[in-house]
Amino acid sequence: MDKITKSGIRVLVEAGDERAVLALFDEDPHRVQRFLKRLACAPDAACHARTIACFRMLSRERSARMPEFFRETVRRSLWEMNEEGGNVAWSAPEIAAAVVAGAPERYGQFASYLIMAALDEPAFQPSLLAAADLLAEADPALVEEFLPELEFLRR
């Protein structure tokens, strides 16, 4: 039986056990990522925040070894934000920002794209504001040019 399950990942995320999440990620990155993306949509704010923190930790810990995997995570998040279908990946800005914030020197060039993609879409604005906070914490220059628009959204 496979030990990487959605409920197992949820238990680890809720417990804040990032080391265990990292160990499972090393076994099967795509499966762990898939379950984390689902958890990022959890209505429980604490679980959501811990899940986003896991994306940042994974990027910080493994982006040097797996740069294309995380680049693709950001690309897919941007794609999901532009999806015309009925499914809205409202947490996509935070997921992408967490990856960027985990390794801003490697993925910082994506910050402006993710902000621009979410700025005029009301469904993404709460996630965008959280994403902007993640980016600013990692490197304030990543959000500098967007500060007036972001402050307007905070009102």
Side-chain angles (χ1 to χ4, degrees):
M1 185 155 122
D2 198 347
K3 69 178 186 176
I4 303 174
T5 63
K6 181 181 175 185
S7 60
I9 295 293
R10 183 180 191 107
V11 166
L12 296 174
V13 168
E14 288 178 343
D17 193 346
E18 290 183 344
R19 291 291 126 198
V21 172
L22 182 61
L24 292 177
F25 180 83
D26 287 341
E27 287 182 35
D28 191 342
H30 294 284
R31 188 174 180 95
V32 170
Q33 178 191 57
R34 184 173 68 243
F35 293 146
L36 287 175
K37 279 188 171 188
R38 290 178 188 170
L39 276 178
C41 296
D44 173 11
C47 182
H48 172 79
R50 285 188 201 104
T51 302
I52 298 302
C54 282
F55 275 104
R56 184 175 186 173
M57 176 275 299
L58 292 171
S59 174
R60 181 181 62 244
E61 297 295 326
R62 295 296 184 257
S63 66
R65 196 168 81 195
M66 304 171 66
E68 193 54 38
F69 178 89
F70 291 99
R71 192 172 290 114
E72 187 64 19
T73 300
V74 173
R75 283 189 200 127
R76 284 179 185 263
S77 293
L78 291 169
W79 178 80
E80 289 168 353
M81 291 166 60
N82 289 307
E83 173 63 35
E84 296 282 330
N87 292 333
V88 176
W90 61 268
S91 60
E94 284 174 274
I95 291 171
V99 170
V100 172
E105 68 289 345
R106 187 176 303 273
Y107 306 114
Q109 74 272 16
F110 289 110
S112 61
Y113 294 114
L114 82 92
I115 292 170
M116 291 299 296
L119 209 63
D120 294 326
E121 294 294 332
F124 295 124
Q125 289 173 356
S127 183
L128 169 61
L129 292 174
D133 291 342
L134 279 169
L135 294 169
E137 182 183 314
D139 180 356
L142 295 174
V143 297
E144 202 168 61
E145 71 179 282
F146 300 101
L147 287 177
E149 293 94 338
L150 294 168
E151 287 308 313
F152 179 79
L153 291 178
R154 289 188 197 281
R155 294 184 200 152

